[in-house]
Amino acid sequence: MILEYIIISLYSISLLLVFMYALAQLNLLFNYLSSKKKIDESETFDLSKDEEIPYVTIQLPVYNELYVMERLLDNIALLKYPREKLEIQVLDDSTDESVNSTAEHIKKLQATGLDIQHIRRENRVGFKAGALKEGLKIAKGEFIAIFDADFLPKPCWLEKTVLYFKDPEIGVVQTRWGHINRNYSTLTKVQAFALDAHFSLEQVGRNSKGHFINFNGTAGIWRKECIIDAGNWEGDTLTEDLDLSYRAQLKKWKFKYLEDVVTPAELPVVISAARSQQFRWNKGGAENFQKMLAKIITSKNVNFKTKIHSVLHLLNSSMFTCIFLMGVLSIPMLYIKNEYAHLRVYFIVMSFFVTSTIIFFICYWFMYKRTFGGGIKSFIKYIGAFFTFFSIAMGFSLHNTIAVLEGHFGKKSEFVRTPKFNIKSLKDSWKNNKYIKKRPSLNVIIEGILALYFAFGLYSAFIVGDQGGDFGLFPFHLMLFVGFSYVFFKSIFSKA
C-alpha cells in the first residue's frame, strides 16, 4: 500500500503544478485581451531628423552555417538605415568551409560601401554569449541588434524598432518571430503553434502588465548601456538571452515587446534539429531558475505578482517533468482507482483538474485565431492542431525532462546549435545536410518502449474494473501513445 500512496502523491503533485501553471496562463490571457484595448503612447525618436538617428551595430553570431550564410548576409544588407549610422559584425566561430565563402561574400558587400566586418575568435569560449561579448568590446553602436543565421528581418525592421529607445529606461526592444516554412510538415506546424502562443499570449501578457519577459536571443535590439549595466553576456547557462534579460530587469530596465513587428525565420524541419533546440531551451530554463530564483525572491525592485510570474516563467520547461510523471504514473493510477474503492472520493476530486486542458485549449484558441482568423472552419482546424500539438509535446516529455533535470542538478554541457537548412517549401530537401546528427540516442529507444507502454494503457481501459472498463484516461493515453510513437519513428527513420 505504501507504493500506491507514493504513486498517488507524485501524481497529485504533478497534476496540481500543471493546474497552477494553467491558471497563470489564463491570467496572461486576460492580460493579453486587456492590452488590445490600450493605445501605445510610447515616446519615439523622429527618424526624419538626422540628429535623432542613433548609431546601430548589428551582430550576427554564426557557427557552421554553410547553407544560410549567403541568404543571411544579403538580407541584412537590404535593411533601410543610414549607412553612416550602421555597422554590421559577423561574429563567426565556424570551423568548416563556410569560413572562406563567408569571407568572400563579406568582401563583396564591403565593396558596396557597407560597414561590415568579419570577426573571428581563436576559440569558442562562452559559445554564443562569448561571441556577442567579444563583438561588444569594439561595437560602435549605441544600440545592438542581434539576428541568428536563420532570421530574415524585413528592410524596415530597424526603422520600426530603434525609435522606441527615446525612452531612456528601455533596455530592449523584442519583435515577434514569424515562420517562413510553417506548413512544411507536421513537425514545423507544431513548433509554430507553440512559438505563436509564446510570442503572443506570454510575451504580450507579461509585458503589458510590467512583468518580466525575455529577449529571445534574436530578432531584438539592446541598448548597449543596458547590456553593460546588467553585467554583460555570460556563458554559464545554455540560454544566455534569458539570463541577461532577467539580470537587466532586476536592475529596473524596461523591455518593449512589439507583437506587430514580425521577423521571419526558418523552423527546424528534421526532428534531430528540433531535439537539440528543445534540449538547449529547456535545460537553459532550468539553469536560469537555479541561477535567478534567490535574486528574484529577495529583490526589492520587484512586486509580488511579478515575482510569481517570474518564477513560473523560469519553471516553464519544468512542466515537462510534471507531464512526464503524470503520463508514466497514470497507468498504475488506473489500476489503483479500480482496486481501492475507498479512494473513490479522491478520484472524483482529481477529475476536476481536467480543467487544466480546457484552460490551455481556450488560451491557445485566441492565439490561433490571431493568426488564422475565427469562424467555424478555423475552429475545427484548431481542434486538430491543438491535439496534434499536445500529443507531440507529450512525446517530447522524456527528452525535455532529461534536459530539465540536467539543468536543475547543474550538469554542464556544450552549446549545441540548431542546424539550418535554407528550406521554404516541400521542393527543398534536407537529406544531404552535413550538420544533421546521424545516430539516434538511447533516449529514442526508451521513447519507443514508452509508446508500447501507453499502448498497454489503452488496452487497460478495456480490462480494468467490473463494469466493462474504465475509459476516463483513454484520451490522455491515446495522446501519449501518438506522441511517443511520432517522436520515436521520426527519430529512427528521418535521417540523412
Side-chain angles (χ1 to χ4, degrees), residues 21-29 201-202 206 360 363-364:
Y21 179 69
L23 290 179
Q25 295 292 98
L26 186 61
N27 179 251
L28 292 178
L29 175 62
L201 175 68
E202 296 182 352
R206 294 190 183 105
F360 289 129
C363 289
Y364 292 162

Side-chain angles (χ1 to χ4, degrees), residues 180-444:
I180 60 177
N181 59 334
R182 174 195 293 272
N183 295 317
Y184 182 82
S185 66
T186 299
L187 182 63
T188 56
K189 289 176 182 178
V190 166
Q191 293 174 86
F193 188 98
L195 287 169
D196 286 348
H198 167 69
F199 277 98
S200 287
L201 175 68
E202 296 182 352
Q203 291 289 64
V204 176
R206 294 190 183 105
N207 194 227
S208 64
K209 296 297 182 181
H211 304 320
F212 287 7
I213 66 168
N214 58 299
F215 167 66
N216 292 104
T218 177
I221 181 166
W222 284 80
R223 188 186 297 271
K224 185 177 181 180
E225 179 190 353
C226 173
I227 298 175
I228 303 300
D229 182 57
N232 215 322
W233 296 103
E234 295 179 358
D236 57 346
T237 73
L238 292 180
T239 45
E240 73 296 320
D241 45 4
L242 180 60
D243 172 27
L244 185 58
S245 297
Y246 267 67
R247 285 188 279 121
Q249 287 166 109
L250 283 168
K251 284 252 185 175
K252 301 188 75 172
W253 286 97
K254 294 179 180 178
F255 281 32
K256 179 77 175 178
Y257 178 66
L258 303 179
E259 186 186 15
D260 293 328
V261 179
V262 181
T263 309
E266 180 184 313
L267 294 162
V269 296
V270 64
I271 201 162
S272 60
R275 278 179 174 277
S276 65
Q277 188 178 71
Q278 286 284 311
F279 194 90
R280 188 174 71 249
W281 287 351
N282 286 288
K283 182 172 181 176
E287 288 175 328
N288 274 288
F289 175 81
Q290 296 296 328
K291 182 174 181 176
M292 291 294 167
L293 180 62
K295 295 176 183 178
I296 292 166
I297 292 174
T298 59
S299 175
K300 295 180 181 179
N301 295 333
V302 183
N303 65 53
F304 179 74
K305 194 169 183 179
T306 296
K307 287 182 180 181
I308 295 297
H309 272 288
S310 298
V311 171
L312 290 171
H313 183 195
L314 294 176
L315 280 174
N316 268 3
S317 60
S318 299
M319 288 300 108
F320 280 105
T321 306
C322 296
I323 292 168
F324 181 69
L325 271 175
M326 284 169 54
V328 170
L329 297 176
S330 62
I331 296 177
M333 287 292 289
L334 182 63
Y335 284 89
I336 291 170
K337 176 184 176 183
N338 286 277
E339 187 173 343
Y340 298 101
H342 64 282
L343 294 176
R344 184 170 177 272
V345 174
Y346 162 80
F347 284 100
I348 292 173
V349 172
M350 286 297 102
S351 65
F352 166 78
F353 291 99
V354 73
T355 53
S356 295
T357 303
I358 296 171
I359 290 171
F360 289 129
F361 185 84
I362 293 170
C363 289
Y364 292 162
W365 162 241
F366 282 92
M367 304 308 106
Y368 187 90
K369 185 168 65 171
R370 186 198 185 286
T371 303
F372 297 102
I376 296 298
K377 288 184 179 179
S378 182
F379 184 71
I380 292 172
K381 289 181 180 178
Y382 167 71
I383 294 172
F386 176 81
F387 285 106
T388 301
F389 158 73
F390 236 54
S391 298
I392 295 177
M394 289 178 183
F396 273 99
S397 62
L398 169 65
H399 177 78
N400 291 342
T401 292
I402 293 169
V404 167
L405 292 177
E406 285 191 8
H408 282 306
F409 287 105
K411 181 182 177 181
K412 295 299 179 183
S413 57
E414 184 175 317
F415 184 105
V416 179
R417 57 61 126 171
T418 307
K420 313 301 188 306
F421 304 88
N422 197 7
I423 284 179
K424 297 179 182 178
S425 70
L426 290 170
K427 296 178 181 178
D428 301 318
S429 175
W430 50 266
K431 295 292 183 181
N432 296 314
N433 189 301
K434 62 179 287 183
Y435 302 127
I436 293 176
K437 183 179 178 181
K438 301 293 194 300
R439 186 177 299 171
S441 67
L442 174 62
N443 296 344
V444 175

Side-chain angles (χ1 to χ4, degrees), residues 2-22:
I2 294 176
L3 178 61
E4 283 86 345
Y5 279 121
I6 291 173
I7 291 172
I8 290 170
S9 297
L10 289 174
Y11 185 83
S12 301
I13 291 169
S14 298
L15 206 61
L16 183 60
L17 288 173
V18 171
F19 179 66
M20 290 173 61
Y21 179 69

Side-chain angles (χ1 to χ4, degrees), residues 11-293:
Y11 185 83
S12 301
I13 291 169
S14 298
L15 206 61
L16 183 60
L17 288 173
V18 171
F19 179 66
M20 290 173 61
Y21 179 69
L23 290 179
Q25 295 292 98
L26 186 61
N27 179 251
L28 292 178
L29 175 62
F30 292 146
N31 293 349
Y32 177 85
L33 295 175
S34 65
S35 73
K36 298 298 149 187
K37 301 173 184 177
K38 297 179 181 178
I39 298 174
D40 190 344
E41 298 179 347
S42 302
E43 188 178 9
T44 60
F45 284 123
D46 184 352
L47 298 183
S48 65
K49 299 178 180 179
D50 289 344
E51 66 273 13
E52 290 202 25
I53 300 176
Y55 204 116
V56 174
T57 294
I58 296 175
Q59 292 187 322
L60 308 175
V62 297
Y63 174 69
N64 293 351
E65 304 289 5
L66 180 65
Y67 301 102
V68 294
M69 278 307 301
E70 186 173 330
R71 182 183 72 177
L72 169 68
L73 295 173
D74 287 344
N75 187 82
I76 294 298
L78 295 175
L79 285 171
K80 296 177 182 176
Y81 205 75
R83 292 204 168 185
E84 66 275 9
K85 295 287 184 76
L86 181 65
E87 170 195 39
I88 302 169
Q89 295 181 335
V90 182
L91 308 174
D92 190 357
D93 283 352
S94 299
T95 56
D96 64 358
E97 65 268 34
S98 67
V99 174
N100 293 329
S101 57
T102 296
E104 291 176 8
H105 206 75
I106 287 174
K107 286 180 182 177
K108 292 178 183 178
L109 293 175
Q110 288 172 336
T112 68
L114 195 63
D115 183 0
I116 180 170
Q117 304 300 321
H118 194 196
I119 299 173
R120 301 268 298 148
R121 297 192 294 165
E122 294 181 358
N123 53 59
R124 288 187 72 206
V125 172
F127 305 109
K128 180 179 176 181
L132 293 170
K133 188 174 183 179
E134 193 72 21
L136 197 68
K137 293 177 182 177
I138 56 173
K140 303 173 189 174
E142 181 184 354
F143 303 102
I144 313 294
I146 300 171
F147 297 102
D148 283 347
D150 52 331
F151 278 74
L152 302 170
K154 297 175 183 177
C156 59
W157 192 91
L158 281 174
E159 296 172 330
K160 289 187 174 182
T161 55
V162 76
L163 72 171
Y164 290 98
F165 285 104
K166 186 161 188 178
D167 180 348
E169 294 184 344
I170 288 183
V172 174
V173 174
Q174 173 69 51
T175 64
R176 181 163 63 93
W177 294 5
H179 319 293
I180 60 177
N181 59 334
R182 174 195 293 272
N183 295 317
Y184 182 82
S185 66
T186 299
L187 182 63
T188 56
K189 289 176 182 178
V190 166
Q191 293 174 86
F193 188 98
L195 287 169
D196 286 348
H198 167 69
F199 277 98
S200 287
L201 175 68
E202 296 182 352
Q203 291 289 64
V204 176
R206 294 190 183 105
N207 194 227
S208 64
K209 296 297 182 181
H211 304 320
F212 287 7
I213 66 168
N214 58 299
F215 167 66
N216 292 104
T218 177
I221 181 166
W222 284 80
R223 188 186 297 271
K224 185 177 181 180
E225 179 190 353
C226 173
I227 298 175
I228 303 300
D229 182 57
N232 215 322
W233 296 103
E234 295 179 358
D236 57 346
T237 73
L238 292 180
T239 45
E240 73 296 320
D241 45 4
L242 180 60
D243 172 27
L244 185 58
S245 297
Y246 267 67
R247 285 188 279 121
Q249 287 166 109
L250 283 168
K251 284 252 185 175
K252 301 188 75 172
W253 286 97
K254 294 179 180 178
F255 281 32
K256 179 77 175 178
Y257 178 66
L258 303 179
E259 186 186 15
D260 293 328
V261 179
V262 181
T263 309
E266 180 184 313
L267 294 162
V269 296
V270 64
I271 201 162
S272 60
R275 278 179 174 277
S276 65
Q277 188 178 71
Q278 286 284 311
F279 194 90
R280 188 174 71 249
W281 287 351
N282 286 288
K283 182 172 181 176
E287 288 175 328
N288 274 288
F289 175 81
Q290 296 296 328
K291 182 174 181 176
M292 291 294 167
L293 180 62

